[in-house]
Amino acid sequence: MTLRFVLNGAKTELDAHPMARLLDVLREECALTGSKEGCGEGECGACTVLVNGEPVCSCIIPVAHVEGAAVLTIEGLGGDHPLQHHFMNEVGAQCGICTPGMIMAAMALGPAPTLEDVKTALAGNLCRCTGYAAIYRAVMKWRGLEAPPSMVAE
Amino acid sequence: MSAVGNSVARKDGIGKATGAARYADDITFPGMLHGRTIRSTIPCGRIRSVRLDFDTTGFTVVDHRDVPARNAVDLIAQDQPFLVEQEIRHMAEPILLLAHENRERLYAVPVEVEYDEGEPLFDPEKSQQVFKTIDIVKGDTSSALADAELVVEGTYRTGHQEHVYIEPNGVIAVPEDGGIAIYGSVQCPFYVIKALRCLLGDAHPNVRVIQTETGGGFGGKEEYPSMIAGHAVMLALKSGRPVKIIYDRAEDMVATTKRHPAIVRHRTGVTRAGRIVAMDVDVLMDGGAYVTLSPTVLSRGCIHAAGPYRCDNVHIHGRTVFTNTPPNGAFRGFGAPQTEFAVEVHIDRIAEALGMDAVELRRRNALRPGDTTATGQTLRDDCSALMVLEEAVRRTDFDRKREEYKGSNRSVGLSLFYHGAGFTGAGERNLKSKARLELTAGGVRIAVGSTEIGQGTRTMHAQIVTDALGIPYEDVEVAQPDTSRVADSGPTVASRTCMVVGKILEECAHEMRDRLGGLSPAEYHSRHGPLTVERMYEPPDWIEWDDALYRGDAYATYGWGCDVAEVELDPDTFEVRPIRLTAVQEFGRPIHPALARGQIEGGTAQGLGYALLERVVMHNGAMANGQLTNYTIPTTLDTPEIDVVMMENPYPGGPFGAKGLGELPMDGPAPAVVNALRQLGFDVREIPATPELLSAGSRLG
Amino acid sequence: MRTAISELDLRSASSLTEALAILRDEARTPIAGATDVYVALNFGTLKPKRFLDIWALDELRSISLSGDTLVIGSLTTYTSLIQSPIVGERLPMLVEASRLVGGVQIQNRGTIGGNVANASPAGDALPVLAAADAVIVVRSDAGERRVPITQFYTGYRATVMTPDELIVAVEIAPVEGKQWFRKVGTRAAQAISKVVVAGVRAPMPRIAFGSIAPTVVRVPETERALGDGATIDDAEGVLAREIAPIDDIRSTAEYRRRVSMNLLRRFWAETG
């Protein structure tokens, strides 16, 4: 089918099987390889993108479902988004494979999240490197909030 | 401001946060094919026939007959074939390879394998085939046990653990002028080279391995990528085209290595006053179907099996054996998490038997400088067991909490542990690791084979060179590991990348500083052109090790840790929620405090998963819960606050006093949690301590 | 190995009428949020090849009151359930259950109709619906019928639905009595349940369990015992005889039985 949607702010038209996985279309047709496949079952969140502002796992979505929608991938944040810098500065990214999905899930947080809000928002994103603490630090700093004292790097 | 000791900007740049970093599956080459591995569906038997019931036009098909030289993955032994010839020794063993340009077509075609099934062996205790036996003997353990005022015995079991790097394994083999290039998610590029030389023989000399950005390793990409690389290379040679093999999660989990399950038996003699006088330890590790790295995993496990305690009479007997299961392999900690779990739970049971406080028992017996370990190594001033113990007890108000929580559903537990840094014994001397520093037009380039797998290799190496050479951090670049361009600095394992490779780089930098003769790199380069400095690692000259007797200086130094786990039990569901984990760890000196903290937080979270959640269910010799839905690693909501305390006790032989760190945090969480469960009345001697285990297990009186 | 997508066929419906006409004429498996279908696809275990996409049918997304009855359109996502004031007020245990389904990404896509249709014994919302005596509204081109959820499942992953039918809504009459919910999963988030309990503390209590039988189950004998004034100790005994959980890769029969009994007791204590 011919598919029309807004990808990272740009009108996009492409041909794809309607049941193709959104992740494959993004990575292979659109050359946006920032979204990663970690599990293929919506469990790890490494493929998270925003569809109409909502985080979803692109590995378990038929591309037909983004017809007419706005899709935002990690590449759509550009290379200079404050959250991206906080992730690197706080070592919220170690190996980095979960990072794009983690950042996209965090993008959906409200302006003044509590630590519990952050944990809940990121509960669908697995990270095996960090134990998550540095990720909380990155997100809280991005929102201008203080991380709990014991988490602040000395 | 010096670079070392400060959390400077990482050399990774921002690519990992923008999606620009390129992992194996993000890379394509013109004309590239995709590879698929046909695997055994029985755990034991012989292949009767392999049938390809489809039109193979457009397919590249490879089986064992296509092996150019030697059908063996070259590790400690050469017993594991790249492709099965006849005998199947475990589930999911590679039999045949297919490649095609269309992945859908590739996945859809049927391959029928017929077998004569054999009788599989799954129980390591029944295995007669021993891969390696180790005996560590100090003093006279049997006499000391016979004379002991009290003997406490116990058997402790640990299960498989799956690495769950979030990026599954992946490799691309690309034919190039006069040779072949392998791009891949690998921890040890030179291990791959070694394996491919054995596979290919002299016919294909020009092989190079380029590490792509790697989405986690934890030991899981130490040895298995050699297998995948061999497969990709054979398909690429036969087709003449680039071939990419990317495992999906299910294949990765069912086929690749796990942490060795272990059964550890202790018999410990103590005086009534709480002095340990004899330790008899028996360690059994399930190696799986091939030798792979099991002897060295067993070695590290055995050396750490007596725990960080002084004892004059120790006998540690270890063996690792064959079973019809996929080979177990390297995983952060490398045998020590298993044996340190056992000894630390055992110590709490000894304290209980003596009616003594478990902290006090540890305090009396903890190793001090001047004490000797089980292998007879005399510890130097960089031994910090007491220091971390006292700090953890003080910081967590451990004694008060233990009293306060009595009778409630909360409790605290503690573990004391240590971890040897670098290769064991003469390992580093034999390895002869090298590092290279190259002058560039504006600074220097680090050219080593050590891989960045998330832990911060690039950054930490650059910091060391920056300060040792006295140039700006920005002027130090780090080459992507490409075996044709970098020095073989040894594998990225064993907590050696900072302490050992960092040390060689420090020496390279010192030599370069001398050769620059006061000029800046740019000035020197413009006047004299390129300059390269390469040096080899020299372990401390006092290290003595007898590999036959397992006696001597097992490691140049050790990191020390004390973890305190605070947990809460739901008495109706037996769910255990870690509330907080305090990790007090001494590892010389942190080169980059934020990265070091990340190692401790991440390793501790893995340790908590090992303790409570992560259970590999084996059915008929294969992982039956090989999905991230059913093999559960901790999520944000499962991971408690981790209070990290980094203590310093510099090691003179490390760069700027640094020791190894990567593995240490993995050793402590499981025994700390289980010791907390003991306070709640559960006599747990096995991990993972699942709710099912607790609900079925024996309650203490 | 992933199912070949080129072999799959998808038709999209833009109205319920069109969807029902397609289902009348062709054998197609409906997909909405696709969270279950695509897991099967990715693991190569997907059996159907022809699908009907109903994700665009906004008419099935409403949450409303019809008289006193709460009507939840089948395409209502867990996120919408969590955010809905009416659901929060009338069926708080459904909100609680929804919060524990997957992560946010799954909550944004998974639907209540999908949870019902997928017929998994571990479906998180199903015990809530069973304890609430929900009615599943199914429609075909020939008409509509209402099936109480307690009669909806005929066995493991089997329902009374015919291939031409679509779930259009779930109806819940006012629930009298205190609601209670507890999911015991394999971990704190993103977990498949090992035992789920939903209970309503009414003169005749209503208690439903998930993950302990081939389908979601009510425990009528236990309910009757409690309704007749049995002690909780006796009711636990009745429950133990009434359920027959099994071992699987996630848990054990023994654990499930023990925890079911403990949670019955806790439900009773906390709602008393």
Side-chain angles (χ1 to χ4, degrees), chain B residues 198-262:
Chain B
C198 177
L199 172 76
L200 301 174
D202 300 331
H204 305 278
N206 291 326
V207 178
R208 63 188 183 115
V209 175
I210 302 105
Q211 185 220 2
T212 52
E213 201 68 68
T214 297
F218 317 115
K221 292 171 183 171
E222 176 170 345
E223 70 271 34
Y224 204 86
S226 296
M227 171 76 82
I228 313 171
H231 292 168
V233 162
M234 284 191 277
L235 285 166
L237 286 176
K238 194 156 182 184
S239 64
R241 292 164 69 172
V243 176
K244 179 195 260 191
I245 299 179
I246 303 288
Y247 287 0
D248 65 14
R249 180 60 61 184
E251 182 171 21
D252 197 293
M253 287 182 119
V254 79
T256 74
T257 56
K258 314 262 175 285
R259 185 186 299 287
H260 290 68

Side-chain angles (χ1 to χ4, degrees), chain B residues 27-33 101 172-175 240-243:
Chain B
I27 298 167
T28 54
F29 290 89
M32 189 178 79
L33 307 179
E101 59 190 8
I172 314 169
V174 184
R241 292 164 69 172
V243 176

